[in-house]
Amino acid sequence: MLIHDWTRVDAGLFHAFHQGWISALSCALNTGGLPPEYFALIEQATRHPLLDFLDLSLPAGHIEPIGKAAQGFAVAAVPPRARLVRRAEDWTYVRKADRITVRDQYGKVVAVVEIASPGNKSSNNELRTFVEKTSNLIAQGVHLLVIDLFPPSKRDPQGIHKAIWDEYVEEYFELPADQRLTLAAYDARPPPVAYVEPVAVGQPLPNMPLFLRPEFYVPAPLEDTYRTTWDDFYPAALKGLLETTG
């Protein structure tokens, strides 16, 4: 299955494909792709670390007002007066994106699969958040697989791997001029080891190692699950935007 040029469509269409691909990959891992003592779960990516935390939110009506309430306005009825209005559309899909966590028989997270979206590079803050989140996982001993089917931005001129790896060691790394997309697998064993595969639009999508413990991995079936997701992807008219040339 050849990699499509996802820069040709908006972030919402890639988000729809992203969610389907995550589901297909998780299913493939749980139906023979993982040893029996491991299982994969789809979880919503958040800014919180992979730790239990207490939900201290209060139900509506339990928040006491402070002082006199000011009159508010609905934006649709009374738009704020400003010369320019900009919406961070890509940012919205970052908050909705899912990732895969692989856990052992005791429920401990041993690996995470992240599929990068345009929103992860849409601002310095979003890129920094993604880099800190992924590099912290490695530092905690969690193995990582990052799939980035988008070319480098001005914020990550040599791709997402270079941005992540700089958190550990700043060394020379340059993506090939004709392969600007990145697949990167990280064995978190101290010291961390990175397995990087540059790819390009129009090339086959290779499988990548998904480490479950130091120096032990299973092949992540990226190509088969990408193909399955693409075959089931809809609507056909939007699908055609990625199949046409020129």
Side-chain angles (χ1 to χ4, degrees):
M1 186 74 199
L2 304 183
I3 301 171
H4 297 94
D5 183 0
W6 289 99
T7 64
R8 299 175 64 175
V9 297
D10 66 27
L13 189 58
F14 179 75
H15 174 74
F17 183 85
H18 173 287
Q19 299 299 82
W21 192 12
I22 283 284
S23 179
L25 184 53
S26 177
C27 182
L29 290 172
N30 284 328
T31 53
L34 291 171
E37 65 270 27
Y38 296 92
F39 61 94
L41 291 177
I42 298 174
E43 300 183 8
Q44 187 169 32
T46 70
R47 291 173 181 251
H48 300 287
L50 289 173
L51 298 173
D52 293 334
F53 62 97
L54 295 175
D55 181 3
L56 299 178
S57 57
L58 295 175
H62 283 234
I63 300 176
E64 297 295 332
I66 300 177
K68 183 179 179 181
Q71 180 182 4
F73 302 95
V75 171
V78 185
R81 299 185 62 180
R83 298 180 66 181
L84 298 173
V85 178
R86 296 290 184 267
R87 290 178 174 82
E89 299 290 352
D90 291 353
W91 180 90
T92 302
Y93 296 107
V94 172
R95 297 297 176 272
K96 296 178 179 179
D98 290 334
R99 64 185 175 191
I100 294 173
T101 61
V102 178
R103 298 173 183 263
D104 63 16
Q105 58 188 322
Y106 305 106
K108 178 184 177 182
V109 176
V110 298
V112 169
V113 180
E114 289 271 10
I115 300 177
S117 69
N120 293 129
K121 304 181 183 184
S122 62
S123 68
N124 290 331
N125 179 59
E126 289 303 329
L127 180 62
R128 170 49 43 190
T129 297
F130 187 84
V131 168
E132 289 182 348
K133 176 178 64 176
T134 50
S135 61
N136 285 341
L137 287 173
I138 298 171
Q140 294 167 19
V142 177
H143 308 292
L144 180 67
L145 175 58
V146 175
I147 303 162
D148 185 9
L149 299 187
F150 290 88
S153 69
K154 63 182 179 181
R155 302 174 186 90
D156 64 330
Q158 292 305 324
I160 202 69
H161 162 70
K162 171 66 172 167
I164 295 171
W165 201 241
D166 278 352
E167 297 296 299
Y168 294 93
V169 54
E170 292 191 28
E171 60 185 13
Y172 177 79
F173 177 84
E174 185 175 354
L175 287 169
D178 60 345
Q179 294 179 306
R180 307 295 290 170
L181 315 181
T182 306
L183 309 176
Y186 300 90
D187 181 347
R189 63 187 167 123
V193 179
Y195 297 81
V196 185
E197 185 67 30
V199 292
V201 169
Q203 293 183 351
L205 182 67
N207 293 335
M208 288 292 290
L210 175 59
F211 286 88
L212 303 178
R213 55 181 184 265
E215 299 186 343
F216 178 83
Y217 71 92
V218 296
L222 302 187
E223 182 179 19
D224 286 347
T225 53
Y226 186 97
R227 181 188 295 109
T228 298
T229 307
W230 179 259
D231 290 344
D232 296 338
F233 191 49
Y234 62 90
L238 295 179
K239 205 171 173 182
L241 295 174
L242 293 159
E243 293 177 320
T244 56
T245 59

